[in-house]
Amino acid sequence: MPAASPILTIPTSPICLDADVYVSASGASTNSFVGTTIAENDRWNHSNLRRALTLPFPLAAPPRVCELAGIVVAEWPWMLTPQTQTVDWFVKADVPAGAELWAVGYVLGMNSRQPFRGFDPGSSSVVAILGGAGGVQDIGPISVDVRGLQGSVTIGLAMMANQDAGGTTNNGLVATYSRDQIVAVGSGAFAGWAGALPPCASICLTDGVAGAGSPQISPWYDVVGISSSASPGTVNNVAHLSPQMHEADWIGHLTPGNNLGYYIVTQFYADLYSLELRERPLSGSLASVV
């Protein structure tokens, strides 16, 4: 495939014009210099401003990302500029010290790549978000390859969180479970995550109640909510799951109450302050507009 030809852009900033000299009363440019400057400014705006979208979130209550299975943070419909090679995501987020999350971009459209599924954390298309000293960080670019794609596409960003080995854990006996919930024996089993949305925890079924020392007999599931069972006096003992269990995960296992346990672990998280989607800066130059 031949290399893409350069796309022209204006390398300098736009020239500001006073309103008095911008146009005549009839709406036409007052002279050729003004007309040329307007044309240059239009080209500059097209190549530098029109090529990005930014979404800020309220600082008082920014959305929190902490899903083990991953979550689509944003999907934007995008009309690709011809011959664009890459579209980059940039994320501003408050990440606790030592936290570990991943972000991966994808594109949907005609003849496009597929979204994230079983991503490789070592891939160059995946950005590992490490908390370091913690606090607000600028993360990116998270690149999406759009070579060979044209026209209307959807550019997406997914984020996944790792389990926090130093966070809160709990284990115990399972009273009952179904496709979308695990009910623990006794009150307060999941009290540490009650009231938090998202709870930022993941849970699995175990053969025995020794926590991490028991054999795991189901995949990990994100906990999306904590509630209380119908039994009087039994509170914060129901963990609601996402995604729902497959039949192979919950049919044919040990009968609940016969030493069937659970193990729940806290997840790392990041609070999102803003997202930006930007096409890779244009190459080439154009000294003047005729």
Side-chain angles (χ1 to χ4, degrees), residues 9-235:
T9 186
I10 304 299
T12 57
S13 60
I15 300 173
C16 296
L17 294 174
D18 191 281
D20 292 338
V21 300
Y22 193 78
V23 292
S24 66
S26 63
S29 300
T30 56
N31 56 58
S32 60
F33 167 75
V34 173
T36 301
T37 302
I38 291 173
E40 289 182 348
N41 286 349
D42 285 345
R43 295 291 294 275
W44 187 93
N45 285 328
H46 170 76
S47 61
N48 290 277
L49 302 180
R50 184 175 169 268
R51 303 170 62 79
L53 288 175
T54 301
L55 176 65
F57 298 104
L59 296 182
R64 175 162 291 184
V65 175
C66 60
E67 283 77 7
L68 179 73
I71 186 173
V72 173
V73 175
E75 279 190 342
W76 265 330
W78 193 265
M79 182 62 70
L80 288 173
T81 302
Q83 302 185 44
T84 298
Q85 302 288 306
T86 305
V87 178
D88 292 335
W89 285 100
F90 294 87
V91 179
K92 182 180 287 293
D94 189 350
V95 187
E100 187 175 31
L101 303 93
W102 293 276
V104 56
Y106 61 90
V107 57
L108 297 173
M110 185 178 295
N111 191 32
S112 67
R113 290 47 154 180
Q114 294 301 307
F116 73 103
R117 287 295 184 271
F119 74 100
D120 175 12
S123 170
S124 60
S125 64
V126 179
V127 174
I129 303 174
L130 303 175
V136 178
Q137 306 172 34
D138 292 318
I139 303 158
I142 304 162
S143 299
V144 181
D145 183 1
V146 295
R147 291 175 297 178
L149 303 183
Q150 298 181 11
S152 178
V153 298
T154 296
I155 306 293
L157 178 69
M159 295 182 67
M160 292 129 283
N162 202 356
Q163 292 177 326
D164 183 359
T168 304
T169 64
N170 194 18
N171 59 278
L173 196 64
V174 173
T176 184
Y177 65 101
S178 61
R179 288 183 182 272
D180 59 358
Q181 66 181 30
I182 293 176
V183 181
V185 173
S187 294
F190 309 129
W193 296 273
L197 288 176
C200 293
S202 54
I203 192 170
C204 69
L205 294 173
T206 59
D207 184 5
V209 293
S214 295
Q216 181 176 335
I217 57 176
S218 83
W220 288 100
Y221 294 95
D222 282 302
V223 178
V224 295
I226 303 296
S227 66
S228 303
S229 63
S231 301
T234 306
V235 297

